[in-house]
Amino acid sequence: MTEQTAAERSGISAAIVVHENRVLMVRRRVSEGQLSWQFPAGEIEDGETSEEAAVRETQEEVGLAVTAVKALGERVHPKSGRNMSYTACAVTSGTAYVADKDELAELKWAALADIPELVPYGLFEPVQAHLDSVLS
């Protein structure tokens, strides 16, 4: 079996959920290389937009209902090699908790100042710019 290229694999959609001056971060049970803390995210399913996937993954992983606000950008992730899309989301209802206990170890509402410690290699520039503008 050969390794699939980024173009052949399903894309990953990440939800950038900001609420009460914090951004939602999750820690995977199994780190993907250097990736430990990240945003709620998962594969985009057939027939689904990246925004729909971000909303669905947030509900499945942390039990939080969100709406997609705007697309922040796309890239091939430098650590995982996967096609990534990032969507800014707003909370519509619920309280975040670890809903997918098989996939997640914990979650955290992080302040802007916490992010360099959680993601030491830095965020995708459009995501960082968005967080810089909405978190004070």
Side-chain angles (χ1 to χ4, degrees), residues 17-31:
V17 182
V18 172
H19 186 65
E20 296 179 351
N21 210 35
R22 300 267 194 258
V23 63
L24 182 61
M25 304 287 293
V26 297
R27 189 170 64 79
R28 303 270 169 214
R29 286 208 171 276
V30 177
S31 294

PDB file of all heavy atoms in Angstrom, residues 17-31:
ATOM      1  N   VAL A  17     -13.019  28.576  17.392  1.00  0.00           N
ATOM      2  CA  VAL A  17     -14.186  28.968  18.189  1.00  0.00           C
ATOM      3  C   VAL A  17     -13.752  29.952  19.267  1.00  0.00           C
ATOM      4  O   VAL A  17     -12.990  29.601  20.166  1.00  0.00           O
ATOM      5  CB  VAL A  17     -14.851  27.736  18.844  1.00  0.00           C
ATOM      6  CG1 VAL A  17     -16.098  28.157  19.621  1.00  0.00           C
ATOM      7  CG2 VAL A  17     -15.190  26.681  17.798  1.00  0.00           C
ATOM      8  N   VAL A  18     -14.238  31.183  19.157  1.00  0.00           N
ATOM      9  CA  VAL A  18     -13.925  32.221  20.139  1.00  0.00           C
ATOM     10  C   VAL A  18     -15.195  32.526  20.941  1.00  0.00           C
ATOM     11  O   VAL A  18     -16.279  32.678  20.375  1.00  0.00           O
ATOM     12  CB  VAL A  18     -13.398  33.496  19.438  1.00  0.00           C
ATOM     13  CG1 VAL A  18     -13.250  34.634  20.427  1.00  0.00           C
ATOM     14  CG2 VAL A  18     -12.065  33.205  18.752  1.00  0.00           C
ATOM     15  N   HIS A  19     -15.022  32.571  22.267  1.00  0.00           N
ATOM     16  CA  HIS A  19     -16.151  32.842  23.162  1.00  0.00           C
ATOM     17  C   HIS A  19     -15.599  33.487  24.434  1.00  0.00           C
ATOM     18  O   HIS A  19     -14.629  32.995  25.012  1.00  0.00           O
ATOM     19  CB  HIS A  19     -16.866  31.521  23.479  1.00  0.00           C
ATOM     20  CG  HIS A  19     -18.112  31.680  24.276  1.00  0.00           C
ATOM     21  ND1 HIS A  19     -19.237  32.332  23.796  1.00  0.00           N
ATOM     22  CD2 HIS A  19     -18.433  31.271  25.521  1.00  0.00           C
ATOM     23  CE1 HIS A  19     -20.177  32.300  24.717  1.00  0.00           C
ATOM     24  NE2 HIS A  19     -19.717  31.664  25.770  1.00  0.00           N
ATOM     25  N   GLU A  20     -16.199  34.579  24.854  1.00  0.00           N
ATOM     26  CA  GLU A  20     -15.813  35.276  26.086  1.00  0.00           C
ATOM     27  C   GLU A  20     -14.299  35.527  26.154  1.00  0.00           C
ATOM     28  O   GLU A  20     -13.649  35.233  27.151  1.00  0.00           O
ATOM     29  CB  GLU A  20     -16.315  34.515  27.318  1.00  0.00           C
ATOM     30  CG  GLU A  20     -17.837  34.469  27.379  1.00  0.00           C
ATOM     31  CD  GLU A  20     -18.383  33.711  28.577  1.00  0.00           C
ATOM     32  OE1 GLU A  20     -17.605  33.054  29.302  1.00  0.00           O
ATOM     33  OE2 GLU A  20     -19.609  33.788  28.788  1.00  0.00           O
ATOM     34  N   ASN A  21     -13.764  36.039  25.061  1.00  0.00           N
ATOM     35  CA  ASN A  21     -12.359  36.441  24.954  1.00  0.00           C
ATOM     36  C   ASN A  21     -11.354  35.290  25.096  1.00  0.00           C
ATOM     37  O   ASN A  21     -10.234  35.474  25.545  1.00  0.00           O
ATOM     38  CB  ASN A  21     -12.036  37.554  25.955  1.00  0.00           C
ATOM     39  CG  ASN A  21     -10.936  38.466  25.441  1.00  0.00           C
ATOM     40  OD1 ASN A  21     -10.854  38.729  24.238  1.00  0.00           O
ATOM     41  ND2 ASN A  21     -10.090  38.931  26.335  1.00  0.00           N
ATOM     42  N   ARG A  22     -11.778  34.092  24.720  1.00  0.00           N
ATOM     43  CA  ARG A  22     -10.922  32.907  24.736  1.00  0.00           C
ATOM     44  C   ARG A  22     -11.168  32.116  23.453  1.00  0.00           C
ATOM     45  O   ARG A  22     -12.230  32.219  22.835  1.00  0.00           O
ATOM     46  CB  ARG A  22     -11.260  31.999  25.928  1.00  0.00           C
ATOM     47  CG  ARG A  22     -11.087  32.650  27.277  1.00  0.00           C
ATOM     48  CD  ARG A  22      -9.706  32.368  27.802  1.00  0.00           C
ATOM     49  NE  ARG A  22      -9.567  32.664  29.208  1.00  0.00           N
ATOM     50  CZ  ARG A  22      -8.984  33.751  29.689  1.00  0.00           C
ATOM     51  NH1 ARG A  22      -8.547  34.685  28.882  1.00  0.00           N
ATOM     52  NH2 ARG A  22      -8.833  33.915  30.978  1.00  0.00           N
ATOM     53  N   VAL A  23     -10.181  31.289  23.079  1.00  0.00           N
ATOM     54  CA  VAL A  23     -10.330  30.412  21.917  1.00  0.00           C
ATOM     55  C   VAL A  23     -10.292  28.969  22.412  1.00  0.00           C
ATOM     56  O   VAL A  23      -9.519  28.614  23.310  1.00  0.00           O
ATOM     57  CB  VAL A  23      -9.244  30.673  20.846  1.00  0.00           C
ATOM     58  CG1 VAL A  23      -7.843  30.382  21.365  1.00  0.00           C
ATOM     59  CG2 VAL A  23      -9.536  29.875  19.577  1.00  0.00           C
ATOM     60  N   LEU A  24     -11.141  28.138  21.830  1.00  0.00           N
ATOM     61  CA  LEU A  24     -11.248  26.743  22.233  1.00  0.00           C
ATOM     62  C   LEU A  24     -10.106  25.925  21.632  1.00  0.00           C
ATOM     63  O   LEU A  24      -9.915  25.918  20.420  1.00  0.00           O
ATOM     64  CB  LEU A  24     -12.602  26.173  21.776  1.00  0.00           C
ATOM     65  CG  LEU A  24     -12.886  24.725  22.159  1.00  0.00           C
ATOM     66  CD1 LEU A  24     -12.900  24.543  23.674  1.00  0.00           C
ATOM     67  CD2 LEU A  24     -14.211  24.284  21.561  1.00  0.00           C
ATOM     68  N   MET A  25      -9.378  25.240  22.512  1.00  0.00           N
ATOM     69  CA  MET A  25      -8.292  24.352  22.105  1.00  0.00           C
ATOM     70  C   MET A  25      -8.578  22.968  22.672  1.00  0.00           C
ATOM     71  O   MET A  25      -9.144  22.845  23.766  1.00  0.00           O
ATOM     72  CB  MET A  25      -6.941  24.841  22.648  1.00  0.00           C
ATOM     73  CG  MET A  25      -6.564  26.259  22.281  1.00  0.00           C
ATOM     74  SD  MET A  25      -6.075  26.484  20.573  1.00  0.00           S
ATOM     75  CE  MET A  25      -4.551  25.561  20.502  1.00  0.00           C
ATOM     76  N   VAL A  26      -8.177  21.941  21.931  1.00  0.00           N
ATOM     77  CA  VAL A  26      -8.356  20.562  22.394  1.00  0.00           C
ATOM     78  C   VAL A  26      -7.013  19.845  22.338  1.00  0.00           C
ATOM     79  O   VAL A  26      -6.162  20.159  21.504  1.00  0.00           O
ATOM     80  CB  VAL A  26      -9.410  19.802  21.549  1.00  0.00           C
ATOM     81  CG1 VAL A  26     -10.783  20.452  21.684  1.00  0.00           C
ATOM     82  CG2 VAL A  26      -9.010  19.713  20.082  1.00  0.00           C
ATOM     83  N   ARG A  27      -6.837  18.880  23.248  1.00  0.00           N
ATOM     84  CA  ARG A  27      -5.630  18.055  23.229  1.00  0.00           C
ATOM     85  C   ARG A  27      -6.030  16.639  22.859  1.00  0.00           C
ATOM     86  O   ARG A  27      -6.874  16.033  23.516  1.00  0.00           O
ATOM     87  CB  ARG A  27      -4.916  18.077  24.592  1.00  0.00           C
ATOM     88  CG  ARG A  27      -3.538  17.390  24.519  1.00  0.00           C
ATOM     89  CD  ARG A  27      -2.732  17.610  25.782  1.00  0.00           C
ATOM     90  NE  ARG A  27      -3.333  17.014  26.957  1.00  0.00           N
ATOM     91  CZ  ARG A  27      -3.265  15.714  27.282  1.00  0.00           C
ATOM     92  NH1 ARG A  27      -2.640  14.855  26.510  1.00  0.00           N
ATOM     93  NH2 ARG A  27      -3.854  15.285  28.389  1.00  0.00           N
ATOM     94  N   ARG A  28      -5.449  16.161  21.785  1.00  0.00           N
ATOM     95  CA  ARG A  28      -5.732  14.815  21.289  1.00  0.00           C
ATOM     96  C   ARG A  28      -5.137  13.766  22.232  1.00  0.00           C
ATOM     97  O   ARG A  28      -4.098  13.994  22.833  1.00  0.00           O
ATOM     98  CB  ARG A  28      -5.114  14.632  19.894  1.00  0.00           C
ATOM     99  CG  ARG A  28      -5.575  15.645  18.902  1.00  0.00           C
ATOM    100  CD  ARG A  28      -6.803  15.195  18.161  1.00  0.00           C
ATOM    101  NE  ARG A  28      -7.362  16.316  17.408  1.00  0.00           N
ATOM    102  CZ  ARG A  28      -8.638  16.495  17.206  1.00  0.00           C
ATOM    103  NH1 ARG A  28      -9.505  15.635  17.643  1.00  0.00           N
ATOM    104  NH2 ARG A  28      -9.075  17.521  16.534  1.00  0.00           N
ATOM    105  N   ARG A  29      -5.804  12.623  22.317  1.00  0.00           N
ATOM    106  CA  ARG A  29      -5.266  11.506  23.106  1.00  0.00           C
ATOM    107  C   ARG A  29      -3.955  11.026  22.501  1.00  0.00           C
ATOM    108  O   ARG A  29      -3.027  10.676  23.205  1.00  0.00           O
ATOM    109  CB  ARG A  29      -6.255  10.341  23.162  1.00  0.00           C
ATOM    110  CG  ARG A  29      -7.415  10.624  24.060  1.00  0.00           C
ATOM    111  CD  ARG A  29      -7.989   9.354  24.641  1.00  0.00           C
ATOM    112  NE  ARG A  29      -8.957   9.702  25.661  1.00  0.00           N
ATOM    113  CZ  ARG A  29      -8.658   9.988  26.919  1.00  0.00           C
ATOM    114  NH1 ARG A  29      -7.427   9.965  27.324  1.00  0.00           N
ATOM    115  NH2 ARG A  29      -9.594  10.314  27.775  1.00  0.00           N
ATOM    116  N   VAL A  30      -3.891  10.981  21.176  1.00  0.00           N
ATOM    117  CA  VAL A  30      -2.688  10.560  20.472  1.00  0.00           C
ATOM    118  C   VAL A  30      -2.188  11.767  19.690  1.00  0.00           C
ATOM    119  O   VAL A  30      -2.880  12.264  18.802  1.00  0.00           O
ATOM    120  CB  VAL A  30      -2.989   9.383  19.510  1.00  0.00           C
ATOM    121  CG1 VAL A  30      -1.743   8.994  18.728  1.00  0.00           C
ATOM    122  CG2 VAL A  30      -3.549   8.196  20.276  1.00  0.00           C
ATOM    123  N   SER A  31      -0.996  12.235  20.032  1.00  0.00           N
ATOM    124  CA  SER A  31      -0.425  13.385  19.324  1.00  0.00           C
ATOM    125  C   SER A  31      -0.102  13.000  17.890  1.00  0.00           C
ATOM    126  O   SER A  31       0.291  11.868  17.611  1.00  0.00           O
ATOM    127  CB  SER A  31       0.854  13.862  20.018  1.00  0.00           C
ATOM    128  OG  SER A  31       0.553  14.377  21.285  1.00  0.00           O
TER     129      SER A  31
END
